[in-house]
Amino acid sequence: PEIRIFVEPASAFARRGPESQSFSVLQEAIDAAQEYDVIGVRPGVYTGAGNINVSFRGKRILLAALPSPFPCVLNAAGAGSGFVFTNREDRGCVLRGFVIQNPSVGGAGILCRDSSPTIENCLAHATESGGGSGVICVNANPLLEQCALAYNGRYGLEAGDVSQPVIRRSILWGNGNASINRAGLDIQNSCIQGGYAGAGNLCADPRFYCPEQGFLHPTKDSPAMGCEPYIDSDADELPDWWEYYWWRR
């Protein structure tokens, strides 16, 4: 689909000057979007007003990090959650390719309430001590595919009693309290610290590449590759399973 709206960090935006349908703040871009728009986000760090507690406002849009050797980072800086889905968003509301860092205590990298968005190829983690959970679900049923919820202060995934998130081909590891706060969820083909019942799940150190520097993709010999056949179509020693946008930074 054609990208109609672009977002880039404030420094680049000021240097090049505003263009038609170009923004430096994520929330402003979403507010300007129409149903089924695609918003392309250029690499860099997004933080501060308009880049914390970012809401889709219930719009069926795709908010996607653009392909780059550098990551697209939303840093909540302990001031709230990263993204919030609280307007009955459904599977047509898609978040793709973001690194989401440092939610507040009690917050989340991604907060879902009464919503069921699609979250693809995202990493939610804390680079500072403390903080909240990777994903929190309150009466919510999001779909997470090829995500990593790692090294958060509380849980990787924190789901309320009536929430039924669906997780596929993801890694939950190194979180403060536990990977997941409850049993009985639909999780498959994922690598989960502490183990979790589900087809294709395993519990083995994913061997992240240089996690102390934030490189959270599994290496070629990672046990996580046992969740799905190892394919490296461009022979760069990064599995196709995880190679997407920021994974190649």
Side-chain angles (χ1 to χ4, degrees):
E2 181 181 357
I3 299 174
R4 197 177 72 84
I5 299 174
F6 289 90
V7 187
E8 61 185 339
S11 57
F13 187 83
R15 184 172 64 251
R16 290 208 291 244
E19 303 173 4
S20 176
Q21 293 296 290
S22 183
F23 298 87
S24 63
V25 176
L26 293 169
Q27 191 64 67
E28 292 180 0
I30 292 172
D31 291 348
Q34 300 176 15
E35 199 87 336
Y36 305 112
D37 269 345
V38 178
I39 303 174
V41 184
R42 295 188 170 104
V45 178
Y46 297 84
T47 192
N51 295 314
I52 298 172
N53 297 321
V54 177
S55 172
F56 272 41
R57 313 282 200 213
K59 297 178 180 179
R60 292 186 180 94
I61 56 175
L62 166 61
L63 180 69
L66 294 173
S68 169
F70 301 99
C72 188
V73 179
L74 187 157
N75 189 346
S81 295
F83 291 94
V84 294
F85 294 92
T86 57
N87 292 280
R88 301 192 178 280
E89 285 87 358
D90 60 20
R91 291 284 188 267
C93 305
V94 182
L95 176 67
R96 180 184 295 163
F98 278 81
V99 178
I100 308 154
Q101 298 177 341
N102 304 319
S104 62
V105 175
I110 301 169
L111 170 64
C112 300
R113 179 181 289 114
D114 302 315
S115 298
S116 304
T118 300
I119 301 163
E120 301 173 344
N121 298 92
C122 286
L123 161 66
H125 76 122
T127 60
E128 303 168 2
S129 60
S133 296
V135 174
I136 292 179
C137 299
V138 182
N139 191 30
N141 311 308
L143 169 63
L144 282 72
E145 289 198 88
Q146 293 182 206
C147 291
L149 312 178
Y151 303 106
N152 293 285
R154 287 174 54 82
Y155 297 94
L157 172 66
E158 188 172 351
D161 290 344
V162 298
S163 295
Q164 292 295 328
V166 177
I167 298 181
R168 297 290 185 268
R169 297 184 297 167
S170 294
I171 293 177
L172 291 83
W173 201 267
N175 297 287
N177 290 357
S179 295
I180 304 168
N181 72 318
R182 53 175 280 231
L185 301 178
D186 183 2
I187 302 176
Q188 297 180 24
N189 294 6
S190 295
C191 182
I192 302 173
Q193 187 173 19
Y196 202 87
N201 292 336
L202 55 82
C203 173
D205 187 340
R207 299 179 189 170
F208 286 126
Y209 175 74
C210 207
E212 65 277 6
Q213 296 183 29
F215 290 81
L216 296 179
H217 61 68
T219 53
K220 186 174 184 178
D221 61 349
S222 169
M225 295 302 98
C227 297
E228 188 165 291
Y230 185 89
I231 301 172
D232 180 14
S233 58
D234 56 3
D236 64 354
E237 297 193 352
L238 293 179
D240 290 357
W241 177 21
W242 287 94
E243 186 174 349
Y244 194 88
Y245 298 135
W246 67 274
W247 302 106
R248 297 189 62 185
R249 76 177 188 174

